[in-house]
Amino acid sequence: DAGITQSPRYKITETGRQVTLMCHQTWSHSYMFWYRQDLGHGLRLIYYSAAADITDKGEVPDGYVVSRSKTENFPLTLESATRSQTSVYFCASSEFGTGDFHEQYFGPGTRLTVT
Amino acid sequence: KNQVEQSPQSLIILEGKNCTLQCNYTVSPFSNLRWYKQDTGRGPVSLTIMTFSENTKSNGRYTATLDADTKQSSLHITASQLSDSASYICVVSARTQIYGNNRLAFGKGNQVVVIP
């Protein structure tokens, strides 16, 4: 039972480079989410997707691009990485979104460092 | 200003002792409140979800309470174990007009360290 996985788990990149973080879930959940977690902040929503080919911005979308061509995959791309994007990124999925009693399941996270 | 405030920011407790974590929120309109446990280097895992009509909910040694009138919640850990060392995150869900798309407001977490 793989659940929800993220790759890579750790990544170091240079300023200005493009980086893609992968997220894969095996439950066929409709909703998928990308968050970032920084010291001094709670988790912040970057983008979410309600279904394949349906995505929408969250709280902090600037500098990020997402796509969802298949239900099970939700990659997050940093088009030109900046030091402020150094963070731990979490992918999550949910069968019916974030409404009442709808559980959200998180992946193990990707620690990204931009030098 | 963060809409979800947690206290204390961190605490150290002896194994076997109890502790209580606090969460105050200003999120509205309120839909539900969740507590997550996040072990170091891992993603958050859900402990409880409560709506406004629920005052208390338990999950093993974890008991969450909710007072929707005062907009406060607490998470009580009974007979703590070393494995309880983690960050505990309070998340408040605000109802929106888009089905399945409640806005989630995350607290910064209570860092708990249990020592032998």
Side-chain angles (χ1 to χ4, degrees):
Chain A
D1 183 4
I4 183 165
T5 57
Q6 293 182 234
S7 61
R9 293 294 314 279
Y10 303 90
K11 177 74 176 178
I12 300 175
T13 191
E14 295 176 341
T15 301
R17 292 203 181 252
Q18 183 180 81
V19 176
T20 296
L21 310 183
M22 303 301 294
C23 179
H24 176 79
Q25 50 106 354
T26 60
W27 295 305
S28 298
H29 284 171
S30 294
Y31 284 79
M32 296 187 75
F33 310 82
W34 274 107
Y35 293 92
R36 61 178 291 173
Q37 187 175 43
D38 304 290
L39 281 175
H41 293 274
L43 282 154
R44 292 181 289 177
L45 181 65
I46 304 171
Y47 270 96
Y48 72 97
S49 168
D53 297 322
I54 301 175
T55 62
D56 206 350
K57 296 178 180 179
E59 183 184 351
V60 289
D62 293 343
Y64 303 95
V65 174
V66 293
S67 62
R68 194 161 175 214
S69 57
K70 292 184 178 181
T71 299
E72 61 267 29
N73 296 325
F74 191 38
L76 176 73
T77 298
L78 289 67
E79 292 191 302
S80 179
T82 65
R83 289 196 180 91
S84 65
Q85 293 177 308
T86 292
S87 185
V88 181
Y89 291 86
F90 288 99
C91 178
S93 73
S94 177
E95 188 172 7
F96 298 115
T98 54
D100 288 349
F101 298 111
H102 295 160
E103 282 283 6
Q104 201 173 41
Y105 300 91
F106 286 83
T110 294
R111 182 175 293 275
L112 176 68
T113 302
V114 183
T115 62
Chain B
K1 187 177 187 298
N2 199 12
Q3 293 184 300
V4 179
E5 298 287 347
Q6 294 186 241
S7 63
Q9 185 176 352
S10 62
L11 77 161
I12 300 172
I13 58 173
L14 288 173
E15 186 179 12
K17 298 295 186 182
N18 304 335
C19 72
T20 300
L21 312 175
Q22 300 291 340
C23 174
N24 296 338
Y25 63 92
T26 59
V27 174
S28 67
F30 177 83
S31 174
N32 60 75
L33 185 144
R34 308 161 183 227
W35 281 96
Y36 285 85
K37 179 187 179 189
Q38 184 177 19
D39 292 318
T40 301
R42 300 203 167 195
V45 175
S46 179
L47 292 175
T48 64
I49 301 178
M50 292 189 293
T51 64
F52 71 94
S53 61
E54 297 176 287
N55 299 118
T56 185
K57 200 163 204 176
S58 292
N59 179 354
R61 294 179 297 100
Y62 301 102
T63 299
T65 65
L66 174 64
D67 186 333
D69 291 330
T70 61
K71 298 187 176 180
Q72 296 180 324
S73 176
S74 65
L75 181 69
H76 186 75
I77 305 175
T78 302
S80 61
Q81 300 177 359
L82 297 179
S83 60
D84 293 330
S85 295
S87 177
Y88 293 85
I89 302 172
C90 176
V91 184
V92 182
S93 175
R95 192 178 303 280
T96 69
Q97 293 183 341
I98 303 173
Y99 176 77
N101 187 31
N102 284 8
R103 178 176 62 85
L104 300 182
F106 290 80
K108 297 178 184 180
N110 306 99
Q111 186 66 46
V112 174
V113 176
V114 181
I115 58 175

